[in-house]
Amino acid sequence: MTLADYMAECLLHPRHGYYATRDPFGRAGDFITAPEISQMFGELLGLWLAQVWLDQGSRSRIVLAEIGPGRGTLMADVLRVIRKVPGMADAAEVHLVEASAALRARQRETLKSVEVHWHDNLSDLPEGPLYLLANEFFDALPIHQFERAASGWSERQVGLREGRLAPGLSAPAPLAALEHRLPDTQPGQIVELCPALPQIAGEIGARLAQYGGAALIIDYGDWRSLGDTFQALTDHRPVSPFAEPGEADLTAHVDFEALSDALSGAGARVSPMVPQGVFLERLGIAQRAGALARNLSGAALDNHIAAHRRLTHPEEMGQLFKVIAATAADAPPLPALDPA
Ligand code: SAH
């Protein structure tokens, strides 16, 4: 089978899939995400959304949506902040797009004081101005990997060798979708394609173009995919993606050029891509960190300082993670991203 089929089964199989069977987050889990590191992340994203909502005329009914909401922590932090912005919480209908039943239950617990609507797909969201967040969602979408041959491409596949799962390669063939990568690749190099990414980003872009609002996408990756970024994590450590299917988190780096092309191809305006550390600093994370530090001491203060560093430092998440946003073509500049 292709790597994409393998990834989809491992992550989302209803009985054996990684996300279907557990809550993988936090120190006791397999990996930790920005909203689980510090409340500052969700608070600053909430303020970003609030500023965009104000700049776009404080619409009286908005679809406040998140795709891949994990434990619901980010949405909880966002809601706490927007309640301080007169009128915004009343305007916001909360919609979560989540494939995992186990994580939906966890989100229901985190957000129990709020009316929340769950959906299987983005296309099920109601019409209306869309204010959307996606943190570490796109990296979980299944990818295909192609190895450059002399003139065409061989697809990386997963098969059985001596009773064990092992990677293999298809016979090389021309591939229209990678024609544009022939000039900037050499034989032997790997290029990744994520078919669901342009589909989902295109749907977001079309909704922004039609109804207004904004989408904020944060993930690890870079402007153009090159090389093998397929990885498996168990207990915060890299493992072979083929050793225990369904037991490890499988991800790949996100191709931000593909995101940008799909959003703008659907009629939205896309911001420049900015590293997470720069984005959070522009939103005032240093000031927020200072304010929170005043009430902390001892180990709690040490943890807080470490969390600030982890989110922003170039050797931690600050540079690897990138931020991009999109809005309607005629919307005002997006705070902290568009040139004013
Ligand atoms: N945003 C959260 C969680 C990131 S993990 C955080 O930052 O902590 C990825 C999330 O996307 C999980 O909630 C997972 O169940 C969900 N997910 C993965 N593939 C999905 C799909 N195809 N459709 C909807 N949700 C998906």
Side-chain angles (χ1 to χ4, degrees):
M1 67 174 93
T2 65
L3 206 57
D5 286 343
Y6 178 71
M7 217 173 146
E9 290 292 329
C10 288
L11 290 179
L12 292 176
H13 184 283
R15 275 188 51 219
H16 306 295
Y18 179 77
Y19 283 118
T21 52
R22 76 200 70 208
D23 169 358
F25 304 99
R27 268 174 238 293
D30 289 320
F31 59 92
I32 187 160
T33 56
E36 305 296 335
I37 291 172
S38 166
Q39 68 186 77
M40 294 189 288
F41 184 78
E43 289 173 349
L44 292 169
L45 267 50
L47 288 174
W48 185 89
L49 286 173
Q51 188 61 55
V52 175
W53 178 72
L54 292 168
D55 290 346
Q56 295 187 2
S58 311
R59 308 271 289 269
S60 61
R61 184 196 152 258
I62 64 167
V63 177
L64 176 60
E66 186 179 354
I67 44 178
R71 283 179 166 175
T73 308
L74 173 57
M75 185 54 84
D77 291 338
V78 163
L79 288 170
R80 196 174 59 252
V81 162
I82 70 172
R83 279 188 203 110
K84 298 196 185 290
V85 181
M88 188 169 178
D90 290 336
E93 257 179 36
V94 179
H95 293 268
L96 303 180
V97 179
E98 174 57 66
S100 154
L103 286 174
R104 279 188 189 200
R106 182 69 209 238
Q107 293 152 18
R108 186 170 293 122
E109 186 58 32
T110 309
L111 298 165
K112 55 179 176 289
S113 60
V114 195
E115 190 184 340
V116 176
H117 309 269
W118 278 272
H119 307 277
D120 291 329
N121 294 296
L122 192 78
S123 49
D124 303 328
L125 289 179
E127 297 176 357
L130 175 65
Y131 290 76
L132 177 135
L133 297 171
N135 184 62
E136 289 206 45
F137 167 74
F138 284 95
D139 66 65
L141 298 177
I143 54 146
H144 294 267
Q145 281 188 334
F146 297 94
E147 189 177 305
R148 170 81 194 274
S151 60
W153 302 86
S154 294
E155 177 154 17
R156 284 195 161 177
Q157 298 175 327
V158 186
L160 277 178
R161 193 178 299 139
E162 290 162 10
R164 286 169 170 273
L165 290 175
L169 274 183
S170 72
L175 194 69
L178 288 180
E179 205 60 33
H180 68 295
R181 298 305 303 272
L182 287 173
D184 76 331
T185 53
Q186 307 289 329
Q189 282 185 325
I190 303 281
V191 170
E192 298 174 338
L193 274 186
C194 177
L197 180 147
Q199 218 177 307
I200 294 172
E203 167 97 37
I204 295 170
R207 283 170 182 261
L208 295 175
Q210 185 171 0
Y211 308 115
L216 186 65
I217 299 170
I218 305 183
D219 224 311
Y220 42 92
D222 218 327
W223 189 249
R224 181 172 267 209
S225 138
L226 182 64
D228 178 4
T229 73
F230 183 50
Q231 66 168 27
L233 275 191
T234 297
D235 196 16
H236 303 266
R237 279 193 303 271
V239 293
S240 159
F242 307 113
E244 288 187 90
E247 296 297 319
D249 184 39
L250 302 182
T251 65
H253 283 202
V254 173
D255 184 340
F256 278 77
E257 182 182 44
L259 276 179
S260 176
D261 286 351
L263 288 161
S264 58
R269 194 185 81 220
V270 185
S271 78
M273 180 185 80
V274 171
Q276 172 173 302
V278 172
F279 180 65
L280 294 176
E281 268 154 26
R282 288 180 185 168
L283 291 177
I285 193 168
Q287 288 81 351
R288 182 66 182 132
L292 288 169
R294 280 199 282 280
N295 301 316
L296 298 172
S297 60
L301 179 60
D302 292 344
N303 287 341
H304 172 62
I305 292 168
H308 178 200
R309 181 187 150 92
R310 194 149 177 203
L311 291 175
T312 55
H313 196 280
E315 282 164 16
E316 306 236 15
M317 298 171 80
Q319 181 63 34
L320 175 64
F321 282 71
K322 309 293 193 302
V323 182
I324 209 169
T327 187
D330 57 356
L334 294 169
L337 291 169
D338 281 334

